[in-house]
Amino acid sequence: MVEEADVELARRRLEYLQTGTVPAIQNELFLSVPSGRVSSKRALVENFHSLGDLATAFETLKVDEGVSTSRQSQYRVVLRSLREELGADLALQDVTRQHCEDLLQLYLRIPSHATQHYPNMTLRASADAYEERNGQAATRYDAAQKNLAILKSIFDYAVECDWREDNPTEKVSLRIPREEKKRQARNKGYEPFTTAELQRIFNAPLYTGCQDDGRGSETPGPNIIRKHRYWVPLIALYSGMRAGEILQLETGDIKGSTSAATYFDVNDEPWTKSTAVEKRLKNENARRKVPLHPELKRLGFLEYVRSQSEGRLFPEAREGSGGKLSDHFSKGFARFLKKRDVWVSRKKVFHSFRGTFADRLKEAHVPLDIREAIMGWEPSGKMDARYGSGYSIDVLSEQVAKSSYPDLDLSHLPTD
């Protein structure tokens, strides 16, 4: 009887989609059932929307909101899981908490970069293939947590549109085992570079002399080629700026005059010249002015800026598959660190420069609120930060100049 009921329900839904009218019951077993309701909670004629409808509407919403390409990629994984696991034709009202619990368990098992590494496979098939290849499941708690948050937001949108009366993910949560919590606590955050590691980084052929800026950058030679691969780590060392913030700089973003300190204007304003790459900021706090450290001036950075034409400061830097300049650069820099025996997954990466510079500011006794302004962190004194325009660039510059690396020898770097 249950099977016959499923068949009758599916037939009626199909007929409704084809005709737009509430179909009559044909199976005599169910003639006593009120024929006006096909969906489980609301009259079909009033509100029939499928998972496919929701997925399409949500994707359109995010595009209209100007969500970044990389963020859209994260949404697509979850939207894809809905279509693959539950089916685009499933009525929204029929999605249950158990469906969402099952999806969460799948999110735990989806391997990193599943689309690239397991092409032409469903998400579940890629998870199975990974497990067969490695002898264990991927078990990605962080990714599962993020995907669950996206799933919640998708169904929040369905409720907002009055397509559902409730959110089926409301009581769904990720249970993290105690050992995993301990491991996450141990591995939380990026580690700053030690002085010895910095010395290995800046003693590479790229900084002491190499063959060229391509494949020959690791081969000792007569050339020091000062393009983005040369300057970006040095800027991060003396500013704590993120890779993306540095790579998207324009020549016009290096500002200052004889009466004011020179600084990096970190912003996401449209490019002065047309380019396919979009300027981005991690959050609103990232919009800031970062003083140019005296050491960067000594190393000839301003001469480099003046030598560039209007537009991108590092025009040779390429964007990655996610549309971000930092994607391609970070992968290359990871290989660079591995050759220096410095790289540690999720611990010692380019982002470690931020922690390294933050430590230099602390050791120079720079006050917390000024460190927050320089690094682009959320102010701890939120109410105080809401009033006034903040510290002047001259004050910030004075504080940045206090930071130094007394044990780091960069005397081999050119200064003009």
Side-chain angles (χ1 to χ4, degrees):
M1 183 176 287
V2 171
E3 289 176 348
E4 289 196 45
D6 285 340
V7 171
E8 180 67 12
L9 186 60
R11 184 198 61 74
R12 294 182 65 220
R13 283 185 179 144
L14 178 60
E15 188 174 334
Y16 170 76
L17 291 173
Q18 293 172 335
T19 66
T21 60
V22 178
I25 293 175
Q26 293 183 2
N27 192 316
E28 61 182 13
L29 287 173
F30 311 107
L31 289 176
S32 61
V33 177
S35 62
R37 295 183 179 271
V38 177
S39 186
S40 59
K41 291 187 178 179
R42 189 173 290 189
L44 184 60
V45 291
E46 294 177 4
N47 189 19
F48 179 87
H49 291 93
S50 67
L51 271 179
D53 296 333
L54 176 59
T56 301
F58 189 82
E59 284 175 313
T60 302
L61 171 71
K62 293 305 170 183
V63 171
D64 291 344
E65 289 179 348
V67 172
S68 67
T69 305
S70 59
R71 186 61 174 162
Q72 287 181 42
S73 297
Q74 294 174 347
Y75 289 134
R76 281 193 209 102
V77 171
V78 180
L79 293 169
R80 179 181 166 189
S81 72
L82 289 171
R83 293 180 174 116
E84 289 181 356
E85 293 293 306
L86 305 184
D89 293 333
L90 180 65
L92 275 181
Q93 297 294 354
D94 292 340
V95 179
T96 66
R97 174 181 172 179
Q98 187 58 53
H99 284 138
C100 299
E101 295 278 7
D102 293 342
L103 286 171
L104 178 57
Q105 293 308 308
L106 174 62
Y107 297 153
L108 272 171
R109 300 178 58 239
I110 297 173
S112 177
H113 304 294
T115 302
Q116 292 88 345
H117 297 319
Y118 301 92
N120 304 318
M121 285 189 182
T122 64
L123 294 172
R124 185 171 293 279
S126 67
D128 293 341
Y130 177 94
E131 191 167 343
E132 183 176 352
R133 177 185 297 178
N134 296 277
Q136 60 182 9
T139 318
R140 301 174 62 221
Y141 287 96
D142 288 346
Q145 195 78 276
K146 292 177 182 177
N147 286 338
L148 176 59
I150 292 172
L151 187 66
K152 288 178 181 288
S153 68
I154 291 172
F155 282 104
D156 278 340
Y157 182 62
V159 174
E160 181 183 329
C161 294
D162 290 328
W163 291 359
R164 265 192 76 107
E165 295 173 347
D166 62 338
N167 188 325
T169 69
E170 186 175 347
K171 295 183 179 180
V172 178
S173 61
L174 182 62
R175 297 167 182 82
I176 303 177
R178 178 181 296 180
E179 288 304 313
E180 174 61 21
K181 289 181 179 179
K182 290 181 180 179
R183 188 194 69 78
Q184 290 181 357
R186 288 194 303 269
N187 297 330
K188 189 175 182 180
Y190 301 102
E191 293 179 358
F193 293 123
T194 66
T195 300
E197 289 167 340
L198 290 173
Q199 199 67 66
R200 293 205 293 275
I201 290 171
F202 294 108
N203 278 351
L206 187 65
Y207 293 97
T208 58
C210 60
Q211 291 291 340
D212 56 53
D213 192 39
R215 294 182 181 276
S217 63
E218 288 292 342
T219 305
N223 305 307
I224 296 181
I225 303 170
R226 297 198 288 179
K227 292 185 178 180
H228 78 286
R229 291 206 294 174
Y230 177 94
W231 283 116
V232 173
L234 284 170
I235 294 171
L237 179 69
Y238 287 105
S239 71
M241 290 167 62
R242 301 175 178 90
E245 294 171 346
I246 301 172
L247 289 163
Q248 70 183 16
L249 287 169
E250 296 183 82
T251 55
D253 291 331
I254 316 303
K255 298 181 178 179
S257 64
T258 55
S259 60
T262 308
Y263 62 93
F264 297 99
D265 185 2
V266 183
N267 63 75
D268 59 354
E269 296 170 4
W271 298 93
T272 54
K273 286 192 172 182
S274 177
T275 176
V277 183
E278 179 187 2
K279 271 188 173 183
R280 307 174 183 185
L281 295 179
K282 181 176 181 180
N283 49 47
E284 191 58 32
N285 296 317
R287 192 185 312 277
R288 65 197 189 281
K289 297 176 181 178
V290 181
L292 189 69
H293 196 284
E295 189 65 9
L296 287 174
K297 295 179 183 179
R298 186 187 74 81
L299 293 173
F301 176 67
L302 288 179
E303 283 71 22
Y304 170 80
V305 174
R306 296 186 189 104
S307 71
Q308 300 302 298
S309 58
E310 182 185 0
R312 285 177 55 190
L313 187 60
F314 304 111
E316 74 281 359
R318 294 187 290 132
E319 62 179 309
S321 57
K324 296 193 295 185
L325 290 167
S326 58
D327 286 345
H328 187 269
F329 176 83
S330 296
K331 290 177 182 177
F333 194 75
R335 293 191 293 270
F336 175 85
L337 290 181
K338 288 176 183 178
K339 292 180 179 179
R340 314 275 88 75
D341 196 26
V342 172
W343 181 85
V344 178
S345 178
R346 300 182 182 274
K347 303 296 285 184
K348 293 291 179 79
V349 295
F350 185 88
H351 207 73
S352 296
F353 279 120
R354 265 177 83 72
T356 305
F357 184 67
D359 282 350
R360 294 293 96 195
L361 293 177
K362 289 178 189 174
E363 293 192 13
H365 303 292
V366 175
L368 173 60
D369 54 345
I370 293 183
R371 298 202 310 269
E372 291 170 341
I374 295 168
M375 301 297 292
W377 292 330
E378 183 178 11
S380 51
K382 294 182 182 179
M383 185 58 69
D384 181 65
R386 289 173 59 184
Y387 297 91
S389 56
Y391 291 101
S392 70
I393 191 61
D394 290 320
V395 171
L396 296 177
S397 183
E398 180 183 348
Q399 295 296 319
V400 162
K402 294 179 180 179
S403 64
S404 65
Y405 297 87
D407 299 323
L408 179 62
D409 182 9
L410 299 180
S411 59
H412 57 283
L413 297 183
T415 58
D416 53 19

